[in-house]
Amino acid sequence: MIPARSVRILIINFYSPRNLGDLAILEQTVWLARQVVPNAQFDVLVSDPPGAPEWLGVNWLPSWPVIARQRSGLHLVRKAHRQADLILSLGGGYFFVHDFRPFSTWATVSLAYALLWRRPVICLPQSFGPFRFAYQARLAAALMARCTEVYLRDPESLVLFRRFAPQQAQAHFAPDTAFSLALRWHRTRQPSAGRPQIGVTIVDWSFVDPTLRPRQALYEKALSETLRYAMQVFGAEVNLFLQCQSSRRAFESDHAVTGRVHAQLVTTVPTDALRLVNNLDTPQRAMQAYSTMDAFIATRLHSAIFASCAGVPALVIGYQPKSCATMHLLNQAEFCLPLQQVDAPALRAKLELLWSQREQTSIALSELARSLGHAAAACITSVIDRYRSK
């Protein structure tokens, strides 16, 4: 039985507050936990600390990449594990390997260390995979199977996990925690009164996935040509959003790749129809900005989630399987195109179809996102409720 004192929850595998997808998952996890235990105290291990918000009852601690780089902070991490009543491995997409490493280094270290402390350890809704080799999947599944509970955020991850996990291992489906933002979003989307608006997020994942390196320039060119077409044919204004930034490694920021696409466009389109938006610092601000769009072209997964929660139809470019898997959950699979298949004609055809259906899609999309939000919320609150009383 956890004592009557305030419950102390340790959250591991949070990467960066400047990645708004990461921040949305964390923020919603804390918010939902406090629906069950209002006075819960949190220790959060963070790998990219700059920009961490000041939240009451949340203590930010260095995670393993910071400890390895600065060679300090390990005593704080030990103390947080020792004091924890419950350890949550934050939802997200951490257990994948695109190269020859045996496992996803820091996520694996963090989870393995947490398991040593013999506390309840819960893997909140994760993606599982992709992996380059089968043995990598087996190692990750074997480690996750030692957790008290495992949740995966799409059916494809469940299939892959069950294929490689030990026979007795159990995993359950729950949607991405960020869908629960829909439960806090009460505005009705209104079509833009002036020129139609298209939002865009752009990613360069080629530094992580070597198979994408031959495709990156083609993807950027196809995206530029498609946006130019949308400006000319739809009369649209284009908003290039920087959803993710990083002080740790340049390729983890959207700044450079978005700048390249902007440079391809700025000399050939009216400057008043093209905006570079780099002031998004919270998920709520992103939701507010995205809700004013008529359509979204999202390479960042959580751009699609934020947009859908606001009822904005999205065309998703999948740089990892998690993107198209999420669009399946939204009954929007036809509007996901794997990055490996992107060229200008294919992308333009998808956008034309989305554009023609955008108004009738909006209401159904927001209702389904809200339904997924209820399921995501139920996962977190039920976990907290179970383990606060054990």
Side-chain angles (χ1 to χ4, degrees), residues 8-328:
R8 194 158 200 102
I9 299 173
L10 171 62
I11 296 179
I12 63 175
N13 283 329
F14 173 64
Y15 182 65
S16 173
R18 300 174 70 178
N19 179 316
L20 296 188
D22 284 358
L23 187 59
I25 293 173
L26 175 66
E27 186 176 74
Q28 290 304 107
T29 299
V30 170
W31 178 71
L32 290 164
R34 284 187 168 150
Q35 307 305 300
V36 182
V37 187
N39 64 344
Q41 299 293 303
F42 295 87
D43 293 308
V44 180
L45 270 59
V46 55
S47 299
D48 185 26
E54 294 184 8
W55 291 344
L56 185 66
V58 175
N59 182 36
W60 302 94
L61 299 172
S63 192
W64 295 100
V66 180
I67 293 170
R69 186 168 65 249
Q70 298 180 352
R71 302 192 182 282
S72 63
L74 182 57
H75 66 290
L76 297 174
V77 172
R78 286 185 183 134
K79 181 179 179 182
H81 283 78
R82 184 173 62 251
Q83 293 180 337
D85 299 306
L86 175 64
I87 301 176
L88 303 177
S89 180
L90 196 68
Y94 307 106
F95 294 99
F96 65 87
V97 188
H98 289 296
D99 53 26
F100 292 91
R101 293 173 299 157
F103 45 73
S104 179
T105 306
W106 296 120
T108 301
V109 167
S110 187
L111 188 58
Y113 185 75
L115 288 166
L116 293 176
W117 290 84
R118 300 187 181 281
R119 303 290 193 270
V121 178
I122 314 298
C123 278
L124 296 182
Q126 307 275 330
S127 291
F128 183 76
F131 298 94
R132 184 160 185 171
F133 302 107
Y135 86 91
Q136 297 164 329
R138 290 192 184 95
L139 285 174
L143 178 66
M144 293 172 70
R146 295 181 58 197
C147 295
T148 313
E149 295 184 27
V150 175
Y151 292 89
L152 299 173
R153 63 183 175 182
D154 58 75
E156 291 84 347
S157 288
L158 276 171
V159 169
L160 192 64
F161 180 83
R162 288 167 179 164
R163 178 181 171 190
F164 291 106
Q167 188 172 4
Q168 72 279 9
Q170 296 290 320
H172 311 279
F173 167 72
D176 189 294
T177 308
F179 274 115
S180 64
L181 277 166
L183 309 183
R184 303 172 75 178
W185 185 258
H186 305 296
R187 300 178 182 87
T188 301
R189 189 186 76 83
Q190 298 293 333
S192 53
R195 296 171 67 177
Q197 302 290 314
I198 294 178
V200 187
T201 52
I202 312 165
V203 172
D204 187 351
W205 197 245
S206 63
F207 292 89
V208 181
D209 184 354
T211 66
L212 295 181
R213 289 171 191 166
R215 300 290 310 178
Q216 182 65 28
L218 297 172
Y219 149 70
E220 293 174 24
K221 184 173 184 292
L223 187 54
S224 299
E225 292 180 8
T226 301
L227 294 174
R228 190 177 296 113
Y229 172 84
M231 290 175 167
Q232 294 169 350
V233 176
F234 305 150
E237 296 181 357
V238 168
N239 303 267
L240 305 178
F241 292 105
L242 274 68
Q243 185 175 292
C244 298
Q245 303 191 53
S246 174
S247 63
R248 183 174 166 226
R249 293 183 291 193
F251 73 82
E252 293 170 344
S253 172
D254 297 342
H255 187 271
V257 64
T258 305
R260 292 197 297 270
V261 172
H262 182 271
Q264 291 182 35
L265 287 169
V266 72
T267 59
T268 58
V269 301
T271 55
D272 64 345
L274 179 65
R275 299 184 189 86
L276 187 63
V277 184
N278 63 359
N279 64 347
L280 304 181
D281 56 1
T282 66
Q284 287 74 21
R285 181 167 288 185
M287 287 275 292
Q288 175 63 50
Y290 296 179
S291 72
T292 65
M293 299 295 105
D294 294 278
F296 214 100
I297 302 177
T299 311
R300 284 286 176 191
L301 168 64
H302 283 90
S303 302
I305 293 177
F306 295 163
S308 67
C309 288
V312 176
L315 167 56
V316 172
I317 299 172
Y319 67 97
Q320 276 198 316
K322 63 184 181 181
S323 302
C324 291
T326 299
M327 292 298 280
H328 275 276

